Amino acid sequence: MKKYSAKKDDISIVLCGAAGQGVQTVEHLLTHAFKHSGYNLFSTKEYMSRVRGGSNSTQLRVSSREVRACLDRIDILFPLNREALEHVRRRITPDTIILGEKDNFLDTGEGGDIAIIDIPISTIASEIGGAVYANIIVTGVIAALFAIDKENIIDDLKERFSEEGKTVTTHNIRAVKRGYEIGNELITSGIVSISIKKDPAVAEQIIINGGEAVAMGAIAGGCNFISSYPMTPSTSVLTFLAQQSKEFGIIAEQAEDEIAAMNMAIGAWYAGARGMVTTSGGGFALMTEGLSLAGAIESPMVIHLAQRPGPATGMPTRTEQGDLDLALYAGHGEFPRVIFAPGSLEAAFALTARAFNLADKYQVPVFILTDQYFIDSYYNIPRIDLSTFEIERYIITTDKGYKRYALTENGVSPRGIPGNGKGLVVVDSDEHDEAGHLTEDHDIRVSMVEKRLRKHALLTQEAILPTLSGKTKGTTMVVCWGSVLAIADEAVRRIGRNDVSLVHFSQVYPLHSDTAKILGKAARLVIVEGNATSQFSRILKIHAGIDIETKITNYSGLAFSVEELEARLRDVL
Amino acid sequence: MGDIDMAWCPGCGNFGILKALEKALAEMKVAPEGLVMVSGIGQAAKIPHYMKCNAFNGLHGRALPAAVAIKAANPRLVVIAESGDGDMYGEGGNHFLATIRRNPDITNIIHNNMVYGLTKGQASPTSQRGFVTPVQAGGVILEPFNPIAVAVALDASFVARSFIDDVDMTKEIIKKALSHRGYALVDIFQPCVSFNKTNTYKWFKDHTYYLEDSYNPGDRVRAFEKAVDPTKFPLGVIYTNPKKATFEGNLSVYTQDSTPIILRKLNLKKLQRFIDRKRRP
C-alpha cells in the first residue's frame, strides 16, 4: 500500500459530512484535546442553514507554531458521506490523505490519483450500536494519529454525554477505542506518519472562539444585561451570557423581536445596568430605530453585530464584512458612535470590555463588528490576564434640581439614574431641554445638537491606532480591518517581501487622527475586505482623505483562505 | 409645574387621567425619586412631562420593553408604562403580548380614545367598524382590537378597564393596579374631543356599565365572557390571577439574591478563575 507522510509542521484536517452527523462534536472534542496536548490549533467551520443533511465541513489546523487562519489545503480528509468528496473536491490534491469508507468514493472519476485509505466506519459504528457513533470513531482515529492521550477524550465524552445514560457513554468509549486502534494501525504499519511538535506551553494556554471572546469580554466590561433575538451567527454570545447568568449576575432575556431587544437594553442602561445586544445584519436593521433613541437620549449602548452576507436573509450561516456601512450610517438623525472591528480573539475580548467603559463614559453607542468566520473560529491564545482590566463607572448621585442634559464644554453631561439621589432623571426621544423635557425651542435644539456632536472629538482622541507589521516607509501597505487580520498576516508573510507591510484597523470609526500620516508613508496601498464594494476604503477616503485604488474584495460567503489571498495579493503586488 | 405649556386640547380626557394618576400616587405615597414613568409617542405619552417623577419618554410603541428592563435592572423602582391605544396596541402590539406573558411587576396604563389624535384623526387599533376617517374614508373594515379579551386569553395577572368620566373610579383602579404584584393592565376610555366625534363622552356613557359588586375577577371564563360582551363594555377589575410569579422574581439573578443587579459589583477575580479553568478540560 502507498505510504503517506505528512511531514509538514502544519497539518490541515478536514471533516466533511451532513448536518446531524456530529461533525461539531468531533470539532469540540478535538479542538480542546489538541490544545491540551500542547498542539497549536486553529479550527473553523462552514455550514449550511439547515438542521439535517447538506454538506458541512470543519477544518482543524494543527501546527508546531501558532496558527490563526484558514487554509484551502487539505492534508487529511474525512469524508463522512457520499456528497462530502464533491463538496471539497477542488481542495483535494494528490497529497491529500483521504480516510473513510470506500462506499463514499464511488465516482472518483478523473480524480483517479486521489489517495484513499479505506476505513469501514459505518460497519464498525453499527457493530458498536448505530451510525451515530461514526463521528466518535473518527475522533479516535485522529487522536491516535496525533498521539493524543485517549483518557482525555474519554473523560470529555463522559462529561458531554453524561445526561444521555450509561449505554451511550459505554458505546462512545468503545467507538473512541476502536478509532484509536485504527489510527494506531495506520501509524505502526507506516501508512501514515505525522511529525508535529507538541509544546507544553501551549497546553497552559486557553482555546476559545470568537463568540466566547466577545461574551467573556462583555463580562469583563461589567455587562450585566443582554437582550437579543436569536440570529445566526450572533447567538452564541447570548447563549454564553445566559448560561453564566447566575454565576456573574447577568440578566439575559430573549426578546420578542430585535426592536424590543434594543429598547430593553437602553432601558437597562437608563436604570443603571450595563446592557448589550447581539445580532446580525437583518436583526440590526430592526434595531436601528432604537439605536437612534440611544443617540437622542445619549444612552450608552454596546452592540455586537456579527456580520453575514446580505441583502435580506442572504446566506444565513456564511460570512461577510458587508455591514460596515450599515453600522456607520444606521439610525435617523446625527449622533456620534464608535465602531470596533477586532482582528484577534485577544482584541475581541479587550475591545468588548472597552466598549462598555467607553459607552458609559461618553454616553454613546459602541459597536463590536465581527462576522461568522470570526465567531465560529477557535485557536489557542495565552491566558487572558485581567489584572489590567477595570470596570469604569460614570454614574453620579443626583441632587435636587438635577438636569440630565446639562450643557457642558465637552458635551458630556453627568449621568444619573433613577433612585440614586434626590434628583429626577428625565430622558426624552423628542428634542429636549437640559432637564430632559421635550421642547420645540430652536435655540435649545441647536445647542443640544452641538452638545451631542462635541463628543465625537473626544471619541476621536480615544481612537485606537491601526497596527502595522513590517517596515513603514516606502512599502506597499496592505490595509485590512476586522477578521481579515490573521489571514492577511499569513498571506503577507508567505509572500515574504520586505517591501510589503500590513496595516490593520481594529477601530474603523472614528479613525485615529494619525491614520492619514501612517498610510501616507506607503509607496502604494492595497486594501483587502470581505465585501463587494470596499466599504472601508470609502471611510478612509471620507475621513482620512486616503484614496486606495487597488482593492481586493471577497463576497463569496466564505472567508478568504490564506492561499487565495496570497495569490490575489501576488497578482497586484 | 405651573409654568408648563400642556399640549392637550381643552376637554381632553387626558387631564382626568393625569389627575387620577397623581391622586393615586399621592395616596399610595409613591416617592417621585423612586417612580419611573415610561411612555412612547402620542398625546397620551406626554404625560410624564406633566408630572414630578423620573421619566423615560422613548419611542412610539416601545415603552413596554424599556419598562420591563428598567424594572428588571432595579426592582426597587415603581414602574408605570403609559401611552395611547395606537402606541401600545398598534405599533407596540408584539411588545404588549410579550409583556403580558412575562408578567413584570409594572402597571400599564393605556389611554384608549379609539382614534389617532396627534397624527390628526386616523383609525386606531380600537376604532370601531365603520368609523370614518380621512384615511379610512369608507369606514374602518378591520375587527377592533380587544385588549381586555387578549389580556385574559394570555392569563394577564391583572386586567381592568375604566372610563375617565369617573376620575375617582379610575384612581381606585390605578391604586389596585399599583398594589398588584405583577403586570397590571389598566385600559382607560378617554374621549378625543378633537378627532373622534363618534366615541364621545355620551357614547362611552351609553356603551359602558359598572361590574356589579358580586363580580368575581378570579373566574377566567366569566372574565372572557365579560371581555367579549357584544352589547356594552364592562368597567372595573375584570380579571386577576394573583398567583403568578413575576418576571423579575423568576430571573435566575434574583432567585437567591434580591439585590438589584445595578448595585452589585463584578468580581473580576471570579472571571479570572473562570477563564483559567479553560486551560484544562
Side-chain angles (χ1 to χ4, degrees), chain A residues 107-326:
Chain A
D107 175 31
T108 48
E110 70 278 16
D113 55 347
I114 286 179
I116 296 165
I117 298 167
D118 184 33
I119 306 174
I121 297 172
S122 297
T123 316
I124 302 168
S126 32
E127 278 167 27
I128 290 169
V132 290
Y133 299 103
N135 62 333
I136 305 298
I137 298 169
V138 170
T139 307
V141 175
I142 298 173
L145 292 179
F146 288 84
I148 291 171
D149 185 4
K150 191 162 46 188
E151 295 311 313
N152 271 352
I153 307 252
I154 289 174
D155 287 349
D156 203 354
L157 268 174
K158 279 182 186 163
E159 205 186 302
R160 233 179 127 75
F161 293 95
S162 62
E163 280 169 16
E164 299 195 22
K166 219 174 162 184
T167 320
V168 173
T169 307
T170 316
H171 287 173
N172 271 327
I173 293 170
R174 275 183 64 201
V176 168
K177 287 184 174 164
R178 282 293 287 132
Y180 257 87
E181 286 165 23
I182 296 163
N184 282 333
E185 249 170 64
L186 292 170
I187 299 274
T188 48
S189 60
I191 295 173
V192 178
S193 70
I194 283 163
S195 47
I196 293 188
K197 284 191 239 57
K198 291 185 190 179
D199 178 355
V202 171
E204 288 305 307
Q205 295 191 338
I206 60 170
I207 188 152
I208 56 172
N209 66 16
E212 289 174 291
V214 169
M216 293 197 297
I219 300 176
C223 173
N224 54 11
F225 190 99
I226 180 166
S227 45
S228 287
Y229 188 88
M231 184 169 186
T232 306
S234 69
T235 314
S236 64
V237 173
L238 173 63
T239 310
F240 187 102
L241 293 178
Q243 285 174 359
Q244 299 309 321
S245 171
K246 205 164 185 180
E247 187 72 9
F248 291 102
I250 302 161
I251 294 176
E253 178 62 359
Q254 181 176 321
E256 56 271 27
D257 54 34
E258 285 88 349
I259 298 171
M262 186 61 142
N263 283 275
M264 280 182 184
I266 295 172
W269 275 103
Y270 169 80
R274 294 190 138 197
M276 81 179 292
V277 291
T278 180
T279 189
S280 189
F284 180 65
L286 291 183
M287 292 182 177
T288 56
E289 182 198 34
L291 180 78
S292 184
L293 174 64
I297 67 173
E298 300 190 52
S299 170
M301 178 52 56
V302 176
I303 302 122
H304 172 232
L305 174 48
Q307 301 162 100
R308 70 188 212 189
T313 310
M315 300 181 87
T317 59
R318 307 298 174 173
T319 203
E320 194 159 280
Q321 290 186 302
D323 292 336
L324 176 56
D325 278 349
L326 176 69

Side-chain angles (χ1 to χ4, degrees), chain A residues 364-554:
Chain A
V364 293
V366 181
F367 289 81
I368 317 294
L369 213 52
T370 66
D371 51 59
Q372 180 270 327
Y373 169 73
F374 186 83
I375 286 300
D376 288 335
S377 295
Y378 286 88
Y379 51 81
N380 50 292
I381 59 169
R383 164 188 187 261
I384 297 166
D385 179 6
L386 292 182
S387 60
T388 56
F389 284 79
E390 196 190 336
I391 296 169
E392 301 164 16
R393 306 270 296 169
Y394 296 93
I395 291 168
I396 60 148
T397 304
T398 57
D399 293 323
K400 246 187 160 45
Y402 167 73
K403 287 181 174 173
R404 173 66 186 86
Y405 301 101
L407 291 168
T408 59
E409 202 176 319
N410 67 6
V412 180
S413 318
R415 189 167 73 92
I417 57 170
N420 185 41
K422 293 195 171 65
L424 299 173
V425 183
V426 178
V427 304
D428 189 358
S429 67
D430 293 272
E431 191 55 272
H432 40 257
D433 58 20
E434 287 182 277
H437 288 292
L438 74 89
T439 182
E440 298 201 29
D441 181 308
H442 297 288
D443 293 331
I444 296 177
R445 159 71 182 171
V446 168
S447 54
M448 283 296 160
V449 170
E450 289 171 356
K451 159 193 152 47
R452 288 191 287 268
L453 293 180
R454 276 203 291 280
K455 297 191 288 186
H456 178 80
L458 303 176
L459 295 170
T460 303
Q461 279 169 26
E462 296 245 16
I464 296 165
L465 260 178
T467 53
L468 190 110
S469 20
K471 284 200 298 182
T472 50
K473 237 185 146 130
T475 59
T476 295
M477 283 185 192
V478 176
V479 179
C480 65
W481 61 278
S483 67
V484 176
L485 173 63
I487 302 163
D489 184 56
E490 189 166 343
V492 167
R493 276 192 282 114
R494 279 180 177 224
I495 291 166
R497 277 169 42 177
N498 65 4
D499 62 340
V500 178
S501 57
L502 180 69
V503 187
H504 176 263
F505 288 79
S506 61
Q507 178 166 345
V508 287
Y509 188 82
L511 295 173
H512 191 281
S513 50
D514 285 346
T515 300
K517 205 165 82 189
I518 292 166
L519 297 184
K521 286 180 183 157
R524 194 180 155 212
L525 292 166
V526 176
I527 194 161
V528 180
E529 292 189 64
N531 56 55
T533 60
S534 195
Q535 298 179 14
F536 187 54
S537 72
R538 288 198 289 275
I539 294 182
L540 287 172
K541 186 166 184 176
I542 296 167
H543 299 284
I546 294 288
D547 234 324
I548 306 183
E549 271 178 35
T550 312
K551 300 174 175 95
I552 296 177
T553 59
N554 169 30

Side-chain angles (χ1 to χ4, degrees), chain B residues 56-250:
Chain B
F56 184 103
N57 185 179
L59 295 167
H60 187 55
R62 319 297 174 210
L64 285 172
V68 168
I70 291 165
K71 184 70 185 178
N74 185 359
R76 291 178 187 170
L77 295 169
V78 174
V79 178
I80 299 173
E82 184 157 349
S83 271
D85 47 325
D87 182 298
M88 287 287 178
Y89 303 146
E91 187 89 27
N94 195 21
H95 313 312
F96 178 65
L97 301 180
T99 304
I100 294 174
R101 293 174 55 217
R102 286 190 181 96
N103 196 36
D105 186 14
I106 65 169
T107 297
N108 188 189
I109 299 173
I110 291 98
H111 302 211
N112 184 356
N113 57 11
M114 303 183 174
V115 73
Y116 278 63
L118 192 53
T119 54
K120 302 195 190 300
Q122 303 81 12
S124 95
T126 53
S127 293
Q128 304 296 294
R129 281 183 186 274
F131 180 64
V132 175
T133 85
V135 175
Q136 287 75 24
V140 168
I141 55 171
L142 274 67
E143 178 66 22
F145 182 73
N146 185 333
I148 306 298
V150 168
V152 174
L154 289 171
D155 198 19
S157 63
F158 182 102
V159 184
R161 175 168 264 163
S162 124
F163 170 31
I164 200 51
D165 200 40
D166 189 340
V167 173
D168 272 344
M169 185 220 194
T170 304
K171 178 200 76 181
E172 287 308 315
I173 286 181
I174 291 173
K175 280 171 71 177
K176 281 181 190 164
L178 285 166
S179 314
H180 171 76
R181 232 180 139 262
Y183 172 83
L185 170 67
V186 182
D187 179 281
I188 306 174
F189 285 142
Q190 164 254 324
C192 172
V193 293
S194 295
F195 293 104
N196 191 337
K197 306 294 184 194
T198 307
N199 309 106
T200 58
Y201 279 93
K202 181 172 185 317
W203 186 92
F204 280 112
K205 221 163 196 160
D206 293 345
H207 289 82
T208 55
Y209 67 97
Y210 291 99
L211 286 168
E212 54 274 31
D213 289 345
S214 59
Y215 177 78
N216 170 21
D219 183 340
R220 193 165 168 209
V221 174
R222 185 84 185 105
F224 195 78
E225 276 174 16
K226 288 285 176 194
V228 297
D229 186 340
T231 54
K232 282 186 172 186
F233 299 104
L235 302 176
V237 178
I238 297 161
Y239 179 64
T240 58
N241 180 355
K243 280 179 290 195
K244 288 184 100 173
T246 64
F247 174 70
E248 310 79 68
N250 275 336

